[in-house]
Amino acid sequence: MAAKYSTIIIPTASRWIGAMLAATIAAFALWLAAPAAHADELTVTPFSSARGGQAPQPWRFTSLPNKTPTRFEVIQEGAQKVLKVEADQSYGNLVHATRVPLNTSTTLAWRWRVDTFVEDANLRTRAGDDGAAKLCVFFDFPAERLSFGERTRLALARRTTGEEVPSEALCYVWDKKEAKGTSLVNAFTQRMRMVVLESGPAADKAAFVSERRNLLADYKRAFGDEAGDTLPDVVAVAVSADADNTQGHGLAYFTDIDLRGFASTRSAGFVLPPARAGSAE
């Protein structure tokens, strides 16, 4: 029985770690050391500040062993620098450590564009758990608040990697098939929830689509069932794209990511505002 259990849990844990965008030890050390943001402080280094093709520090590339890496490159497109993200039978994440309090003022804004969708992607299955464009937010939720089973899996992931794998992740997805506004639990782990912000090709395929999210509202919708009144800090953001399960290809672009918050704001009596859809520019 023990042998059968290990053959199931270890491969699952390995992909679970990947689904949670497991970063290098150095990146996690930055997460723990990163100071809390001051009022309305810009906390994510802009891609447009890159001097070459590599995303500026503290952005760090992370992946899994024996995976073809997804390519992340800062390029000049017209008057702006943007991040080009190309997944080709590959897996990879670009992670930025930070520490921002989660409250009513915490917002995340960016613009993105998908030129090529991963054709056979299916967010509802493990075999199809790929995507051309995801923007994920990691939260430092106390592990002791999780169920015994979830704590066990989280502890296994942390022990296997030797890293402080984040306890919660919320990913914003641009998908080809799922309807706009769809909320999903990741096929590999309860620790990751997904929200489909855009679906299918944009009306103007050459235009970037703008997004602005109230993170507390989205967090409550995604993790309110387990979080209750707990408001964990935001400890990282990540751009992700993968096509390793489907052996497909995806191509997307991201502009600078704007994460802001006020340390003094409280959310007692907070009421969820209506969700806001993205708008083309």
Side-chain angles (χ1 to χ4, degrees):
M1 182 67 178
K4 182 179 179 181
Y5 176 78
S6 65
T7 60
I8 295 173
I9 191 64
I10 297 302
T12 300
S14 176
R15 181 61 188 183
W16 184 90
I17 294 164
M20 288 300 290
L21 315 176
T24 61
I25 293 175
F28 277 105
L30 282 173
W31 291 8
L32 297 176
H38 297 294
D40 203 31
E41 178 181 286
L42 185 63
T43 62
V44 177
T45 303
F47 300 126
S48 59
S49 68
R51 295 185 176 181
Q54 188 172 351
Q57 292 185 349
W59 287 102
R60 292 176 180 269
F61 175 78
T62 70
S63 188
L64 290 171
N66 304 315
K67 293 287 186 182
T68 301
T70 293
R71 293 187 291 274
F72 296 87
E73 182 184 9
V74 178
I75 65 168
Q76 188 75 36
E77 185 172 279
Q80 63 181 339
K81 285 185 179 179
V82 299
L83 180 70
K84 178 182 178 182
V85 183
E86 186 168 13
D88 190 2
Q89 304 179 48
S90 62
Y91 176 88
N93 320 284
L94 200 61
V95 185
H96 189 298
T98 187
R99 186 167 287 276
V100 178
L102 180 63
N103 49 52
T104 55
S105 73
T106 313
T107 60
L108 183 69
W110 73 98
R111 295 186 301 139
W112 55 351
R113 189 181 86 213
V114 175
D115 285 6
T116 306
F117 292 93
V118 180
E119 276 300 323
D120 294 325
N122 183 346
L123 297 178
R124 298 179 183 271
T125 69
R126 294 186 177 187
D129 185 35
D130 286 339
K134 302 174 187 175
L135 180 56
C136 299
V137 183
F138 296 166
F139 300 95
D140 188 22
F141 186 77
E144 61 269 19
R145 292 283 308 277
L146 302 176
S147 68
F148 175 77
E150 289 297 298
R151 290 199 310 272
T152 300
R153 284 186 283 271
L154 182 61
L156 175 60
R158 290 173 173 176
R159 185 166 63 251
T160 302
T161 62
E163 300 168 357
E164 192 63 22
V165 176
S167 51
E168 291 177 334
L170 174 61
C171 292
Y172 299 107
V173 183
W174 190 332
D175 189 63
K176 183 178 181 180
K177 301 171 184 175
E178 293 292 342
K180 199 170 183 176
T182 300
S183 296
L184 297 165
V185 176
N186 182 265
F188 285 94
T189 173
Q190 291 280 332
R191 310 280 17 100
M192 178 184 284
R193 313 291 167 91
M194 300 179 291
V195 179
V196 179
L197 292 190
E198 305 296 338
S199 180
D204 182 351
K205 294 182 179 180
F208 281 82
V209 173
S210 295
E211 313 286 356
R212 180 172 293 276
R213 307 300 303 181
N214 180 293
L215 281 185
L216 178 58
D218 288 347
Y219 177 83
K220 288 288 189 179
R221 293 188 184 97
F223 289 103
D225 55 337
E226 70 179 22
D229 294 331
T230 301
L231 300 181
D233 286 349
V234 175
V235 290
V237 296
V239 176
S240 176
D242 53 343
D244 56 322
N245 290 323
T246 60
Q247 297 299 293
H249 176 258
L251 178 61
Y253 300 84
F254 287 77
T255 66
D256 294 342
I257 295 168
D258 188 315
L259 173 64
R260 295 175 186 264
F262 287 82
S264 61
T265 302
R266 295 291 178 236
S267 59
F270 176 70
V271 178
L272 293 178
R276 292 183 60 185
S279 57
E281 289 195 343

